[in-house]
Amino acid sequence: MRHTLRRSCSACAKSKHSCDLGTPRCSRCIKRKVQCSYANEPLTGPPRGPSSITAPPLSQNTTIVPLGTRFASVDPFESYPQTRLPREHVQRLIHSFLHKIAFQYYPLDLSATSNPFLVSWWPLALGDPALFHVSLQTACLDEELLAQKGFQASTVLMADSVALLRRKVEDSTLAVQDGTMNSVITLAAIEFGKGNTRVSEMHVAGVKRLVNLRGGISAVRQTSPLTARMVSWVSLLVMGHPQFDTQDDVGIGDGIPPIPEWQLDSPIVDDKLSTLSIDLPVKNVLIRLRRVFQRTQSGAPFPNTRLHDLTCFVVHRLLSSAPNHTTDPPASPISECLRYGIVLYMFIIQGPTYFSHAVIMNTLVASFVQHLEQLESSAHRDINIWLAAVGLVASTGTPHYQWFVERAQRVVATTTTTSQPQSWVNTLACIKNVLWLERLPHRDDIFRPHWDMVFDSHHPEMPSMLPLRRLQISSSANQRLVTPRAFLSS
């Protein structure tokens, strides 16, 4: 018999199907009830060095082994599902997940006593082998990317994660559990970060079916807010457009719900906006957002999680209501500019959550430019300045940035007068007249450096452009790394 480097089992290789490399039998052979044999048993050979992985194979009934006292304070059960990784390696990954990954996933809550990945996700993972393997995998990918010595351990965890998850999905009772949906949407994010978009989209399609079985995203949120938030947000980032509807303004429907502040006041026509040709859906969102943000100025509680819920609702509402260019009549240019400007602003003030939103931001910026090119230069002064401000921050580090710099220079040229020269103070006042979250931390660090450069380059005695190095301090606004590098690798 000739030698082969094939890792898949003989049955899968013969049928030309993908093999998940499960041992002692892959999941496909288990399902088909056929013999499963490997020409090269996957990752179970003798150790070749200190980094080799040797552990018992994954069994049909995953057992529980004791957890070291090192993690007893964060693991009240003092146990975790068995894996094929050495015990010390598993404990190191657990420590990484609990002390690093959880806060990178969810930077909206940096408290160990309330972060949902510690108080909600992790207890689920300790009783759910599939979710436990997926959780370890996120920490393992981060560790291996830093080490740059290959992905041996994460490959093992991925194979076992998929095998365990398939067993759950085949059981109608287990398929709709929070742990199952958490596992599927995390795998979607991991595959998307690796550049495997087709596999990632398949995971999103799968989790959408599970959400429908649960009665919709609103029903999932009632029992597991973290699961609902992560599924709706990650599926949006992966697919590039909303995968779920929103409820109406009073909270009716099975879609993503609005936050309570959205419903407190019925919107009235704003005098500053009444003369502009803004389509009703966009104007409704703009006016309601202005009211929500105005409440925060009075000191009303507005935690980061509430901001995330508001961002998710607004982004889904605006992108879902965008006109279809093939079937719907065209919307006014100012409406579309405000639509994409508001979406980008919400992404900016929230920052990345779960994993980077750079891909969808780049797509949105391109659409933003397309609609701004159709906008008359005589549009409302404050709106012109606000649109330029959002574009400068959102496009930082992209090929579109120079376009926004030049547009901002033109805005400065048309709004500067002898009696009122343009400055950051005057610019900020114009921005606040449109839409501004006053409690946005470090707002000067995010927005002001761009305008300082624009004002300097607009000055007749200054060169037309200053080195872009001046603007690197603000690039973190739309490129901050708050999740494992594994989700950002290609």
Side-chain angles (χ1 to χ4, degrees):
M1 181 177 184
R2 67 182 180 89
H3 293 289
T4 176
L5 298 178
R6 188 187 70 233
R7 295 180 57 203
S8 60
C9 74
S10 300
C12 288
K14 184 177 180 180
S15 302
K16 297 183 179 181
H17 280 81
S18 175
C19 180
D20 59 27
L21 307 181
T23 58
R25 301 167 65 198
C26 74
S27 60
R28 186 169 180 271
C29 289
I30 292 175
K31 184 176 181 180
R32 297 176 63 214
K33 298 180 180 180
V34 299
Q35 182 179 359
C36 185
S37 61
Y38 291 94
N40 297 284
E41 194 71 11
L43 299 173
T44 57
R48 297 184 178 181
S51 63
S52 295
I53 300 171
T54 57
L58 184 70
S59 62
Q60 182 71 23
N61 298 314
T62 305
T63 59
I64 302 296
V65 297
L67 177 68
T69 56
R70 180 182 179 187
F71 305 105
S73 60
V74 291
D75 180 16
F77 301 101
E78 298 187 355
S79 61
Y80 60 82
Q82 185 181 18
T83 75
R84 288 195 286 153
L85 303 185
R87 187 172 187 269
E88 289 302 318
H89 194 172
V90 172
Q91 291 186 340
R92 186 172 72 249
L93 295 178
I94 291 175
H95 185 273
S96 176
F97 183 88
L98 297 178
H99 293 84
K100 178 182 180 183
I101 304 302
F103 301 105
Q104 290 180 331
Y105 270 17
Y106 205 80
L108 307 177
D109 188 343
L110 300 181
S111 171
T113 61
S114 56
N115 184 288
F117 278 91
L118 299 181
V119 302
S120 174
W121 178 290
W122 186 247
L124 275 180
L126 291 175
D128 186 331
L131 183 58
F132 182 75
H133 278 72
V134 170
S135 302
L136 289 192
Q137 189 180 1
T138 61
C140 190
L141 283 166
D142 182 69
E143 180 182 83
E144 291 176 335
L145 280 166
L146 287 172
Q148 295 186 352
K149 295 182 179 180
F151 300 93
Q152 186 180 16
S154 59
T155 299
V156 174
L157 290 170
M158 173 61 86
D160 293 348
S161 297
V162 172
L164 289 165
L165 194 54
R166 282 176 176 171
R167 296 172 193 171
K168 292 194 69 178
V169 172
E170 290 172 357
D171 187 316
S172 59
T173 302
L174 302 178
V176 295
Q177 290 180 341
D178 293 337
T180 306
M181 287 190 282
N182 291 342
S183 299
V184 176
I185 199 62
T186 303
L187 290 181
I190 291 174
E191 297 292 1
F192 184 75
K194 291 180 177 180
N196 301 328
T197 55
R198 188 182 68 84
V199 177
S200 180
E201 292 172 358
M202 289 173 58
H203 286 314
V204 170
V207 81
K208 286 176 62 179
R209 289 193 292 269
L210 300 182
V211 169
N212 290 335
L213 291 174
R214 283 275 292 270
I217 198 70
S218 178
V220 174
R221 182 183 172 85
Q222 292 175 8
T223 57
S224 180
L226 175 61
T227 300
R229 290 185 179 111
M230 189 170 181
V231 166
S232 56
W233 190 252
V234 172
S235 63
L236 167 71
L237 300 190
V238 167
M239 302 301 293
H241 54 88
Q243 300 299 298
F244 299 95
D245 294 330
T246 60
Q247 294 182 351
D248 62 20
D249 291 332
V250 297
I252 298 177
D254 59 3
I256 299 170
I259 64 173
E261 290 87 346
W262 188 265
Q263 306 168 332
L264 291 179
D265 290 320
S266 57
I268 58 176
V269 175
D270 192 307
D271 291 339
K272 297 177 181 178
L273 304 175
S274 59
T275 60
L276 300 176
S277 178
I278 304 175
D279 293 348
L280 183 58
V282 177
K283 180 178 287 189
N284 177 58
V285 169
L286 177 59
I287 293 176
R288 288 181 182 271
L289 265 180
R290 285 160 57 92
R291 292 180 180 275
V292 171
F293 289 166
Q294 287 169 2
R295 285 192 189 288
T296 67
Q297 298 180 20
S298 63
F302 200 68
N304 290 331
T305 300
R306 190 71 59 83
L307 175 59
H308 178 41
D309 289 340
L310 176 63
T311 301
C312 191
F313 175 81
V314 168
V315 170
H316 278 76
R317 168 69 68 83
L318 287 176
L319 293 183
S320 297
S321 62
N324 187 317
H325 298 298
T326 59
T327 59
D328 299 333
S332 65
I334 193 170
S335 296
E336 293 308 285
C337 289
L338 284 171
R339 181 193 307 279
Y340 287 96
I342 293 171
V343 169
L344 288 168
Y345 182 71
M346 297 305 294
F347 271 106
I348 291 169
I349 64 176
Q350 177 193 261
T353 302
Y354 310 120
F355 71 106
S356 170
H357 57 218
V359 174
I360 191 172
M361 284 278 283
N362 291 340
T363 302
L364 293 171
V365 166
S367 297
F368 192 33
V369 169
Q370 180 182 358
H371 291 292
L372 281 171
E373 289 176 335
Q374 303 175 21
L375 184 64
E376 294 291 337
S377 59
S378 59
H380 195 282
R381 181 197 65 171
D382 292 348
I383 288 182
N384 256 330
I385 293 176
W386 184 84
L387 293 173
V390 172
L392 284 169
V393 177
S395 66
T396 302
T398 75
H400 294 291
Y401 183 76
Q402 178 61 31
W403 187 91
F404 279 102
V405 169
E406 294 171 359
R407 183 178 181 86
Q409 291 171 342
R410 292 195 298 271
V411 170
V412 169
T414 57
T415 57
T416 298
T417 63
T418 304
S419 60
Q420 190 180 20
Q422 195 62 270
S423 65
W424 169 243
V425 174
N426 294 334
T427 299
L428 182 59
C430 295
I431 293 172
K432 288 182 177 180
N433 286 336
V434 180
L435 187 65
W436 184 253
L437 180 58
E438 186 64 36
R439 293 173 61 184
L440 175 64
H442 312 302
R443 64 182 185 273
D444 284 359
D445 292 341
I446 295 176
F447 286 87
R448 181 169 183 171
H450 300 273
W451 286 97
D452 286 344
M453 190 275 297
V454 169
F455 299 145
D456 287 345
S457 61
H458 179 67
H459 194 281
E461 297 180 359
M462 296 295 292
S464 61
M465 280 294 295
L466 296 179
L468 291 181
R469 182 179 58 82
R470 287 271 307 274
L471 297 169
Q472 295 306 312
I473 58 175
S474 64
S475 64
S476 59
N478 68 330
Q479 299 292 339
R480 286 196 300 271
L481 176 63
V482 295
T483 53
R485 295 172 180 81
F487 284 7
L488 304 181
S489 64
S490 59

